[in-house]
C-alpha cells in the first residue's frame, strides 16, 4: 500500500511576509525590535476615526518628524500594502511613505499641496491624475523592483489599480540599480499640522 501526501491540500502556501503588522498587539508586538519611531507615534491608537481595521491603528501625530521606519533584510524587490487616512487637505508637499536602503532614500511618496500623490525616485517626480482622498480610508500599494520600477497606487476599495505612470490613482518611475532595506511611513522634514493613520501594513517579495 502506498500513500500520496498532498502538501497543498488546503491550497497553495501563504505568502512569506517581510512585514506583517496589524497593530493589534501592544507596541508593535513581536515586530517591536524592527520598528524605529520618531516624534509623536502611537501604535495603539483607537480614537475615531481609528481604527482603520481591527481594534487599533498606528497614529503619526503633528510635527515635522513623526514617522516610523520598519527595517528588513536588504532586498531587490518588495511589494508593500497598507491602509491610510488623514484629516485635512495638504498645504505643503508632505511625505506619506518611502523606501530606504543603506541609510539613504531610494524613493518616496508626497501628498502634494495640490492634493495629488507624487512619487519621487530621488531624480524626478511623477504625479497621479486624481486628488488623493481626504477623510477617507484608502488602500495603498507601494512597490520596488530593483533596476526596473518603483510605483505607488491607491483605491477606496481593496482592488489594486494598474500601477501606471500618471494614472488616475497611481504613479510610476524607474528604480535605481539598488536594494532597499526599510519602509518609512510618515512625515519627514515637513512642518505639519496634520496626522496620519496607518493599519494592516504588510509586505512580501512578490506582487499582491
Amino acid at each position: 500500500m502506498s500513500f500520496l501526501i498532498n502538501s497543498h491540500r488546503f491550497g497553495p502556501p501563504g505568502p512569506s511576509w517581510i512585514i506583517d503588522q496589524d497593530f493589534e498587539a501592544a507596541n508593535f508586538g513581536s515586530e517591536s525590535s524592527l520598528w524605529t519611531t520618531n516624534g509623536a507615534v502611537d501604535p495603539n491608537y483607537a480614537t475615531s476615526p481609528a481604527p482603520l481595521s481591527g481594534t487599533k491603528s498606528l497614529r503619526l501625530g503633528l510635527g515635522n518628524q513623526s514617522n516610523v521606519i520598519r527595517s528588513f533584510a536588504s532586498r531587490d524587490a518588495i511589494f508593500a500594502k497598507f491602509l491610510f487616512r488623514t484629516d485635512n487637505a495638504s498645504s505643503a508637499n508632505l511625505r506619506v511613505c518611502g523606501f530606504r536602503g543603506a541609510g539613504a532614500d531610494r524613493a518616496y511618496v508626497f501628498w502634494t499641496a495640490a492634493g495629488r500623490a507624487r512619487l519621487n525616485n530621488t531624480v524626478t517626480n511623477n504625479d497621479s491624475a486624481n486628488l488623493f482622498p481626504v477623510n477617507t480610508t484608502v488602500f495603498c500599494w507601494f512597490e520596488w523592483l530593483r533596476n526596473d520600477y518603483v510605483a505607488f497606487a491607491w483605491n477606496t476599495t481593496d482592488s489594486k489599480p494598474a500601477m501606471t505612470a500618471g494614472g488616475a490613482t497611481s504613479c510610476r518611475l524607474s528604480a535605481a540599480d539598488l536594494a532597499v532595506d526599510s519602509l518609512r511611513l510618515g512625515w519627514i522634514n515637513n512642518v505639519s499640522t496634520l496626522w496620519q493613520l496607518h493599519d494592516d501594513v504588510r509586505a512580501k517579495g512578490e506582487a499582491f
Side-chain angles (χ1 to χ4, degrees):
M1 181 180 293
S2 63
F3 296 90
L4 176 64
I5 298 175
N6 182 0
S7 62
H8 299 291
R9 179 178 177 184
F10 300 106
S16 178
W17 295 113
I18 300 165
I19 304 173
D20 185 10
Q21 182 56 257
D22 61 10
F23 305 104
E24 294 302 290
N27 302 319
F28 303 103
S30 61
E31 291 190 345
S32 59
S33 64
L34 301 173
W35 291 80
T36 301
T37 65
N38 303 286
V41 175
D42 185 350
N44 311 298
Y45 197 73
T47 302
S48 182
L52 306 187
S53 177
T55 62
K56 295 182 291 185
S57 296
L58 169 69
R59 185 182 190 270
L60 305 177
L62 313 184
N64 68 337
Q65 296 288 344
S66 294
N67 62 77
V68 294
I69 299 174
R70 172 50 160 88
S71 59
F72 46 83
S74 183
R75 302 189 59 87
D76 292 335
I78 187 165
F79 302 83
K81 180 182 177 184
F82 56 88
L83 293 172
F84 173 86
R85 185 182 181 113
T86 193
D87 58 344
N88 291 304
S90 177
S91 60
N93 292 336
L94 304 175
R95 295 195 192 189
V96 173
C97 58
F99 285 129
R100 293 172 57 78
D105 289 323
R106 299 292 191 234
Y108 43 87
V109 177
F110 284 117
W111 187 22
T112 71
R116 290 175 173 81
R118 171 173 293 168
L119 178 64
N120 182 284
N121 63 359
T122 75
V123 177
T124 189
N125 298 317
N126 183 245
D127 288 8
S128 66
N130 290 359
L131 301 182
F132 203 62
V134 179
N135 277 325
T136 301
T137 300
V138 292
F139 295 82
C140 298
W141 293 262
F142 190 29
E143 302 182 352
W144 174 274
L145 186 59
R146 180 175 181 166
N147 203 31
D148 191 343
Y149 76 91
V150 57
F152 177 80
W154 82 89
N155 202 345
T156 54
T157 65
D158 191 6
S159 178
K160 179 183 170 183
M163 306 285 275
T164 55
T169 62
S170 65
C171 26
R172 182 183 179 114
L173 290 167
S174 61
D177 188 11
L178 297 166
V180 296
D181 59 22
S182 57
L183 170 69
R184 178 168 55 202
L185 302 173
W187 316 127
I188 182 73
N189 295 332
N190 297 104
V191 177
S192 174
T193 58
L194 309 179
W195 48 256
Q196 295 184 26
L197 291 173
H198 294 266
D199 214 327
D200 290 350
V201 181
R202 293 188 170 89
K204 54 184 180 175
E206 59 275 350
F208 282 90

